[in-house]
Amino acid sequence: MYVFQTQHQNYDAVEAENSILRSQVMELTERLKSMKSTLQFIEDFSGMDMDIPEIPDPLRRPLQLPCPLHPIMSSADMLWC
C-alpha cells in the first residue's frame, strides 16, 4: 500500500510540473506570436525586408513524444516484492 501511495504522490508531482511547463509553453508561444506580429507591422510600415522566422512547429502543437506510446502489460505478480 505504501508503494502505491508513493507512486501516486510522485505521479501527482510530475503532473503538476507538466501543467506548469504547459502553461509556460503557451505563454512563450503567445509572446513569440506577439513579437512576430510587431516585426511584421514594422516590415509593412517601413518597407524594409526583414527576415522573420516562422514559429517552430513543436510550439504550435501540444507536447508530443517522438514515438507512440504502447501500453505496458503487467501481472499482479510484478507488484509484490
Side-chain angles (χ1 to χ4, degrees), residues 9-50:
Q9 289 172 345
N10 289 340
Y11 175 81
D12 287 344
V14 168
E15 194 60 37
E17 290 175 12
N18 282 343
S19 177
I20 291 169
L21 290 173
R22 277 189 220 98
S23 66
Q24 288 176 341
V25 165
M26 290 186 336
E27 179 184 342
L28 292 172
T29 301
E30 287 303 313
R31 286 184 183 184
L32 278 173
K33 288 179 183 177
S34 176
M35 185 64 80
K36 182 177 177 179
S37 174
T38 302
L39 288 173
Q40 186 67 45
F41 175 78
I42 291 171
E43 180 182 50
D44 292 344
F45 183 74
S46 69
M48 293 177 59
D49 188 28
M50 298 183 139

Side-chain angles (χ1 to χ4, degrees), residues 64-78:
Q64 295 179 351
L65 297 175
C67 58
L69 290 176
H70 300 286
I72 299 173
M73 304 305 286
S74 64
S75 66
D77 296 335
M78 293 176 66

